[in-house]
Amino acid sequence: MEELAEAAGIPVRTLRFYRERRLLPPPRRDGRIAWYSESHLARLQTIAALLERGHTLGGIAELITAWENGRTLNGVAELLGLGGTLAAPWSDETPVVLTPQELADYFGEDASPENLTAALEIGYISVAGESALHTSRRLLDVSAALVHEGVPLAAVLAAGREVRGHVDAIAELFTQVVKTHVLGPLDDVPPEQAHRISDAMQRLRPLAKDIVDAEMSLAMERRVRIEIEAWLRRQAAATGSGAGAAHPEPSAASRGPQRPAEDD
């Protein structure tokens, strides 16, 4: 149970509460040992996602019961993803539990109440007892690296908020394309054919990542080239004007008396 709670990024007491509410199926027993599987972790991730969307625990319990009884409830199968790879998350992000001291080690004086509040609003961190749960090891490391490069954490968080909006729009666009041209109306998929959704998601997951990665790389290349060319133009202009000021054309007075031109 402790290992499952750590993998899910929740306190053990929360895991016990989910068990008591029957939101989580019982583990496999081997004598006095209770074995939890990837399906238990996927269930916890699904519960967390539904809570983030505003569902109550009571409502989540009803949806889980409906799925286990074979009803789709207008597409709840796709929403819950409680069957096999349907529950597999698209991201490979690893959550990190941080004590207040560890946050200070990462961000120093930038670990201020204002920045922590902003991180909570964006969804980068959540409260886990007396500690903080960061949603992504990669985002945590990148944020800390930017701060160490001299970027204020407030600016990193502001940029993260902007990025979140853009990637949400990209995800919505890709999802609609897939629903329209690959999956079709999800409400028409019977439970016994749910594997079709799972198979499609597994095939499309790397394609979506590759599209975003390639477009981001090309966009950064364009932007960096524009910035470098603009900098080179400014340097050339400054060098040209500086050269003219350093070597002025001598005046007639400074050249001294001139000899009259001789006729051929």
Side-chain angles (χ1 to χ4, degrees):
M1 182 176 288
E2 289 78 8
E3 293 175 357
L4 177 62
E6 181 179 0
I10 62 174
V12 173
R13 63 178 179 275
T14 300
L15 182 55
R16 290 198 178 98
F17 177 73
Y18 289 165
R19 282 286 312 278
E20 293 170 0
R21 295 290 298 271
R22 298 186 178 180
L23 293 169
L24 200 66
R28 179 176 63 84
R29 292 286 179 179
D30 184 6
R32 299 181 61 185
I33 302 176
W35 293 100
Y36 291 90
S37 66
E38 291 294 327
S39 64
H40 290 94
L41 178 59
R43 176 72 66 90
L44 290 173
Q45 292 169 335
T46 300
I47 293 172
L50 292 172
L51 287 172
E52 186 177 350
R53 294 188 180 101
H55 293 270
T56 64
L57 286 176
I60 293 172
E62 291 180 4
L63 293 175
I64 291 175
T65 301
W67 170 263
E68 291 175 340
N69 290 337
R71 301 194 305 271
T72 61
L73 290 182
N74 296 325
V76 73
E78 187 270 341
L79 174 64
L80 286 176
L82 297 178
T85 53
L86 278 177
W90 268 55
S91 73
D92 299 318
E93 303 310 312
T94 303
V96 186
V97 177
L98 300 167
T99 65
Q101 182 56 51
E102 288 171 332
L103 274 174
D105 292 341
Y106 268 98
F107 299 110
E109 295 181 355
D110 275 0
S112 63
E114 294 78 13
N115 285 334
L116 292 178
T117 300
L120 282 167
E121 292 174 351
I122 298 172
Y124 280 177
I125 63 173
S126 59
V127 177
E130 296 181 356
S131 301
L133 174 66
H134 199 290
T135 188
S136 166
R137 164 70 70 181
R138 286 199 297 175
L139 285 175
L140 174 64
D141 291 343
V142 169
S143 299
L146 288 171
V147 170
H148 294 159
E149 290 290 338
V151 182
L153 181 56
V156 173
L157 294 173
R161 191 188 300 272
E162 292 289 330
V163 170
R164 175 68 60 83
H166 292 303
V167 295
D168 279 349
I170 293 172
E172 170 66 16
L173 175 62
F174 191 82
T175 301
Q176 292 305 318
V177 169
V178 170
K179 286 176 61 178
T180 301
H181 300 286
V182 180
L183 298 177
L186 295 176
D187 291 350
D188 297 338
V189 179
E192 62 271 15
Q193 294 185 13
H195 64 86
R196 185 165 64 87
I197 302 174
S198 171
D199 294 342
M201 290 298 100
Q202 292 303 308
R203 294 195 308 272
L204 295 169
R205 175 184 173 182
L207 301 182
K209 287 188 172 184
D210 287 346
I211 289 173
V212 175
D213 183 65
E215 288 289 358
M216 183 62 182
S217 298
L218 292 171
M220 286 299 301
E221 183 177 342
R222 290 192 297 269
R223 291 306 310 172
V224 170
R225 185 185 303 116
I226 290 172
E227 292 295 329
I228 290 177
E229 289 176 353
W231 177 78
L232 289 173
R233 285 194 295 270
R234 291 194 298 270
Q235 293 299 312
T239 302
S241 61
H247 304 285
E249 185 69 16
S251 63
S254 65
R255 290 197 296 267
Q258 304 297 308
R259 294 176 59 189
E262 297 182 354
D263 294 332
D264 291 338

